[in-house]
Amino acid sequence: GDGREGVVMVEDGTKVKAEDGRMVQGVDIERFIKDLPGGRDTSSFSTLDASGSTSQAAFIIESLESGSRTLLFDEDTCATNFMIRDGKMAALVNAEPIRPFVSRVTGMRDAGISSVMVIGGAGDYLNVADRGIGMKDY
């Protein structure tokens, strides 16, 4: 095999991803997304056609509500605007409704929720990481 057969996962782990177009029903995503255009309520968010960022926020909340305490992220399957916001974009878009996950991950860790991330471009997470593992020739 390629090594994946040797991977062990905790029972309460969940892989988090963005899923454009999914249905979301009555999920409180307000800790991540607030003040959507048109005044849409995010404390009980519902849609038949979620964006990548709203679907990922809902996925995290749904996972936590079902008992997950370990969240797995692969940067390639996440909504970039949900995960990070660099200084240039923050200056350009000053009324952004999304609070990037990078600004929430430390508080979630302090609440007993682990986040494991595979990243290749979102270096901002290295500033808040407890540990980093570099891979070479994989």
Side-chain angles (χ1 to χ4, degrees):
D2 64 4
R4 288 181 282 185
E5 66 276 2
V7 173
V8 177
M9 179 59 188
V10 294
E11 195 171 282
D12 68 351
T14 302
K15 183 183 184 313
V16 175
K17 64 180 183 173
E19 192 176 353
D20 289 338
R22 73 166 271 212
M23 184 181 92
V24 175
Q25 186 66 42
V27 180
D28 183 358
I29 61 171
E30 198 167 53
R31 76 170 78 167
F32 300 116
I33 302 175
K34 198 172 184 176
D35 302 323
L36 284 174
R40 295 191 61 195
D41 180 24
T42 57
S43 67
S44 182
F45 182 73
S46 296
T47 183
L48 295 175
D49 187 22
S51 69
S53 55
T54 56
S55 71
Q56 188 167 339
F59 201 118
I60 291 170
I61 298 301
E62 291 164 340
S63 296
L64 297 175
E65 288 176 349
S66 70
S68 291
R69 290 294 172 256
T70 304
L71 304 175
L72 306 174
F73 297 83
D74 181 340
E75 181 181 35
D76 290 342
T77 60
C78 291
T80 301
N81 65 331
F82 178 80
M83 297 299 287
I84 59 172
R85 174 144 317 263
D86 67 30
K88 290 180 183 179
M89 289 308 297
L92 180 65
V93 183
N94 59 4
E96 175 59 53
I98 302 169
R99 294 182 191 104
F101 189 73
V102 70
S103 69
R104 298 285 184 225
V105 71
T106 302
M108 292 179 72
R109 179 202 59 216
D110 294 345
I113 301 161
S114 299
S115 298
V116 179
M117 301 189 172
V118 176
I119 59 172
D124 289 355
Y125 281 94
L126 297 175
N127 296 327
V128 296
D130 292 326
R131 289 181 181 77
I133 299 171
M135 295 177 62
K136 183 177 175 184
D137 298 329
Y138 57 93

